Amino acid sequence: MADPTLDATDHEILALLREDARRTLSDIAGRVTLSTAAVKRRIDRLEEAGVIRGYTVQVDHAKLGWAVEAFIELRFLGTSGVDEIIQTTTRMPEAQAVFTIAGDPDALVWLRVRDMAHLQRTIDEIRRSHRVTSTKTLIALDSWQRSRR
């Protein structure tokens, strides 16, 4: 994919879509003072270039019964490769994201679980990996994300 040169209008369109991906082309056009067709062309170009990788919905996980968020620092045997580190948790439905890190720890895993007992079972499952040498768990009390309204 080409590396697009983004101007201020492209950034404004992206900000509007991050705020509400269901926003209509005409609404965006009115806010950035372009025609609907021009906005469509810009969005198509941003999608083609891979700047816009998709559209999603924000779910209230607590209402689905997965109210607890935690982060686990993982340390692995020195012979573990990055692929092994990532594969340790990606098969788990509780794992929301895995970040490999330069330095100590080796990885940070973002988990979402139903309750503390579920968190304990999940941590135990991770610890059973023969490559994990230690863990440290941090429980989130609240969160904020730039992409949220």
Side-chain angles (χ1 to χ4, degrees), residues 81-99:
V82 172
D83 288 344
E84 287 178 273
I85 291 170
I86 292 172
Q87 290 172 4
T88 299
T89 57
T90 54
R91 71 188 187 296
M92 303 173 74
E94 296 85 358
Q96 304 300 299
V98 179
F99 304 90

Side-chain angles (χ1 to χ4, degrees), residues 36-106:
T36 302
V39 168
K40 172 91 170 88
R41 283 191 303 273
R42 283 176 180 257
I43 291 173
D44 288 347
R45 179 178 50 82
L46 292 167
E47 289 173 350
E48 187 176 304
V51 174
I52 296 176
R53 298 185 333 200
Y55 299 86
T56 188
V57 62
Q58 293 178 4
V59 174
D60 184 337
H61 294 280
K63 290 184 179 177
L64 297 175
W66 293 69
V68 178
E69 286 183 280
F71 296 87
I72 299 183
E73 294 179 359
L74 300 179
R75 286 161 187 79
F76 287 79
L77 293 173
T79 57
S80 300
V82 172
D83 288 344
E84 287 178 273
I85 291 170
I86 292 172
Q87 290 172 4
T88 299
T89 57
T90 54
R91 71 188 187 296
M92 303 173 74
E94 296 85 358
Q96 304 300 299
V98 179
F99 304 90
T100 54
I101 300 171
D104 185 40
D106 297 305

Side-chain angles (χ1 to χ4, degrees), residues 23-37 39-40:
R23 191 181 297 273
T24 65
L25 292 174
S26 62
D27 179 59
I28 295 170
R31 292 171 186 263
V32 299
T33 63
L34 289 176
S35 70
T36 302
V39 168
K40 172 91 170 88

